[in-house]
Amino acid sequence: MQPVFVDYASDLSVGKMKQDIEVLYKQNTTNGLFSLYYVYDFGTTTDPAFGIASDYFDLLGTDTQSLQEIQREFYDLACSFGIHAGGERIYVTISGLAENMDKAVKLAEEYMQNVEGDDAVLAQLKANAMKARNDAKLNQNANFRALQQYTFYGPEAIRARTLTDEQLMALTSDELLARIRSLSDYEHYVMYYGPETEAKLIAALDAIHRTSQELKPVRKVRFPLLTVDKSEVNVAQYDAKQIYYLQYSNRGEKFSTDNDPGETLFNSYFGGGMNAVVFQEMREARSLAYTAFATFTEMRDKDDPYIFYAFIATQNDKMQKAIEAFDEIINNMPESEKAFDIAKEALISRLRTERTVKDGVLWSYIRMRDLGLTEPRGKQIFEKAQQMTLADVKAAQEKWVKGRKYVYGILGDIQDLDLNYLKTLGPIQTVTQEEIFGY
């Protein structure tokens, strides 16, 4: 089977509607369904209250219609509508039967502008949010995710992008709904996947899409990943008989597609799954971890650096042996031609068989644009990986992974941890739940 890589020049088109709003268009030739997205390049990292604003909106009606009546109207149109607030983007999504798109868009935008608050609903939403926050602090995985974000981004970023309990409880209905109504005032772009022609789509959007006469630029906030120039240990208390362990390194090296083949094949060989070195060494051969992985990767934006991070879950009394074994295989990577052949074939087979189709073309385009690219990365990886050897993986490991300094994050019962050993890794800082969660 030969690979098929998306060609953005022919598989989608980029047009303009009124007020110079960009329209990313992909035609659906399969059926009569459409998906329409208004995309705003800011999210809860910029405004952490937008998450609860979108949740609140989902529970409300307008001054003339109840929520149930609005939902019934969308149901009768065979369409759906929602607002999703992600960390870096907000999406207004309308989808369903293409012949009813105009009616669905009008209904959705009228709903956004005429939504009416309900203090009782808001009070219950806040109570639910507070319970979810308290429940998260009781959950080991949630505590580890919080510790990971703290280790990656630091305390200032956590505080800035998280509402405290007091800030959450102080939010008013007017403040939250103003955020929803104000979306029509801000710059955004449109993504469409459906059967309508591009020309007819843009004409329809020019007629029905409500926007202000002058769109405001968005204020996008992105917190930089912390650079690691010295070893440190962050320890967070959690009462459990196993620890979650993370080591994170960022030397500030910037993304380049030149590194893609070596990076991708290294990850496939070293940390990419159950056949990879990390899993086989840490769990299968040495029985030192319940689970383990490691990866060298870039993040989501062309300005983000490469990072290396690794994770294990193990018993408290195996912590030192697990960390030392992990450090050994990271810095002196085991070499196995058989394991390499499996990893290489798995990577090449995946690239041969994966297909980017339908609205996936639009999402792929956005991901590549964030990285400053105009074509997908898989083609170069596929062409070069076939010629690569274990020596190339070893070279990538020695260049990008070996000899790094780390910030270590350890979640476990501090009374059961060997703090004297942890001091040999670097200065220890005990961090509280309030610090890692931000509330």
Side-chain angles (χ1 to χ4, degrees):
M1 181 178 291
Q2 292 303 307
V4 178
F5 299 107
V6 63
D7 180 357
Y8 299 126
S10 60
D11 290 342
L12 65 85
S13 60
V14 181
K16 296 281 187 176
M17 57 174 288
K18 64 182 179 181
Q19 294 173 272
D20 212 31
I21 296 172
E22 185 181 57
V23 178
L24 307 182
Y25 170 86
K26 170 71 175 172
Q27 189 167 38
N28 176 4
T29 59
T30 304
N31 54 45
L33 302 178
F34 81 99
S35 296
L36 180 71
Y37 309 90
Y38 303 156
V39 186
Y40 301 82
D41 271 334
F42 71 99
T44 56
T45 300
T46 301
D47 182 359
F50 222 108
I52 194 166
S54 63
D55 291 341
Y56 184 40
F57 174 76
D58 287 342
L59 303 173
L60 301 172
T62 68
D63 56 348
T64 60
Q65 288 182 297
S66 68
L67 174 62
Q68 291 73 25
E69 289 172 328
I70 294 171
Q71 290 173 333
R72 181 69 193 188
E73 278 203 63
F74 279 112
Y75 179 83
D76 290 343
L77 293 171
C79 292
S80 61
F81 161 64
I83 300 175
H84 171 69
E88 297 191 0
R89 286 194 173 99
I90 294 169
Y91 303 93
V92 175
T93 305
I94 308 164
S95 61
L97 196 60
E99 64 189 57
N100 292 331
M101 187 191 80
D102 289 13
K103 293 178 181 178
V105 170
K106 289 178 182 178
L107 177 60
E109 297 194 8
E110 287 173 1
Y111 179 23
M112 290 173 63
Q113 293 304 314
N114 297 316
V115 61
E116 188 171 72
D118 185 321
D119 288 340
V121 170
L122 180 56
Q124 185 60 56
L125 179 64
K126 289 179 178 179
N128 293 344
M130 292 297 291
K131 182 179 185 304
R133 287 178 168 221
N134 291 330
D135 289 346
K137 289 184 175 182
L138 301 175
N139 182 277
Q140 190 173 20
N141 289 327
N143 274 264
F144 184 72
R145 287 193 296 271
L147 177 60
Q148 181 188 54
Q149 291 297 297
Y150 181 92
T151 302
F152 281 14
Y153 293 99
E156 291 184 11
I158 301 301
R159 287 193 297 268
R161 67 189 193 187
T162 309
L163 294 173
T164 65
D165 290 345
E166 294 75 19
Q167 289 172 324
L168 171 63
M169 295 304 295
L171 289 170
T172 67
S173 185
D174 288 344
E175 289 172 336
L176 293 171
L177 295 184
R179 287 169 164 83
I180 301 297
R181 298 188 185 105
S182 69
L183 285 175
S184 62
D185 298 333
Y186 284 96
E187 291 178 348
H188 58 283
Y189 56 91
V190 175
M191 299 197 317
Y192 172 85
Y193 174 69
E196 193 60 86
T197 65
E198 182 179 9
K200 288 184 178 180
L201 168 70
I202 290 177
L205 291 174
D206 282 339
I208 62 178
H209 182 33
R210 294 184 176 188
T211 62
S212 298
Q213 289 299 314
E214 291 188 17
L215 295 176
K216 301 176 183 177
V218 298
R219 183 179 68 89
K220 185 172 184 177
V221 174
R222 298 189 81 250
F223 292 97
L225 289 145
L226 295 179
T227 302
V228 178
D229 52 17
K230 60 182 179 179
S231 297
E232 297 176 345
V233 182
N234 294 326
V235 177
Q237 169 64 30
Y238 188 84
D239 187 6
K241 294 304 179 185
Q242 68 175 21
I243 66 162
Y244 283 2
Y245 163 89
L246 165 78
Q247 58 187 87
Y248 157 76
S249 178
N250 168 21
R251 300 190 302 209
E253 296 135 325
K254 297 301 183 182
F255 167 74
S256 170
T257 54
D258 293 344
N259 305 318
D260 276 357
E263 172 202 341
T264 308
L265 193 51
F266 166 77
N267 286 332
S268 181
Y269 171 75
F270 186 71
M274 295 181 67
N275 288 315
V277 168
V278 167
F279 192 88
Q280 288 295 314
E281 287 285 331
M282 296 300 297
R283 174 168 168 158
E284 300 301 302
R286 309 191 193 196
S287 300
L288 288 174
Y290 301 114
T291 187
F293 76 83
T295 185
F296 172 71
T297 187
E298 79 286 343
M299 298 301 277
R300 295 176 298 274
D301 187 90
K302 63 181 181 298
D303 295 324
D304 286 335
Y306 284 108
I307 65 171
F308 178 81
Y309 68 101
F311 162 77
I312 51 176
T314 189
Q315 295 168 227
N316 290 349
D317 59 358
K318 291 184 177 180
M319 179 185 72
Q320 180 174 347
K321 288 184 178 179
I323 293 174
E324 289 175 345
F326 216 175
D327 185 64
E328 172 63 23
I329 65 172
I330 287 171
N331 286 293
N332 300 289
M333 184 183 71
E335 298 178 49
S336 165
E337 288 290 348
K338 182 178 179 181
F340 171 76
D341 290 341
I342 293 172
K344 180 177 175 178
E345 181 57 33
L347 172 62
I348 292 173
S349 294
R350 176 176 63 80
L351 292 172
R352 284 187 190 278
T353 58
E354 69 181 7
R355 298 290 185 266
T356 303
V357 297
K358 301 182 179 181
D359 63 345
V361 173
L362 300 173
W363 296 111
S364 174
Y365 176 80
I366 292 301
R367 287 193 299 272
M368 293 304 102
R369 186 163 72 174
D370 287 346
L371 291 170
L373 306 178
T374 57
E375 59 183 28
R377 299 161 67 183
K379 185 176 182 181
Q380 179 199 193
I381 296 171
F382 178 77
E383 291 172 349
K384 293 189 176 181
Q386 294 181 77
Q387 314 304 321
M388 295 178 74
T389 66
L390 181 56
D392 294 307
V393 171
K394 182 64 176 175
Q397 179 264 342
E398 291 183 344
K399 177 180 179 180
W400 295 108
V401 177
K402 188 173 183 177
R404 284 177 170 264
K405 295 185 182 299
Y406 293 97
V407 174
Y408 301 87
I410 298 177
L411 179 73
D413 190 341
I414 294 176
Q415 293 183 349
D416 289 343
L417 299 181
D418 185 347
L419 298 181
N420 287 327
Y421 168 68
L422 291 180
K423 288 177 183 177
T424 67
L425 303 178
I428 297 176
Q429 175 185 358
T430 301
V431 292
T432 66
Q433 281 191 316
E434 184 174 351
E435 287 175 310
I436 64 175
F437 280 96
Y439 56 82

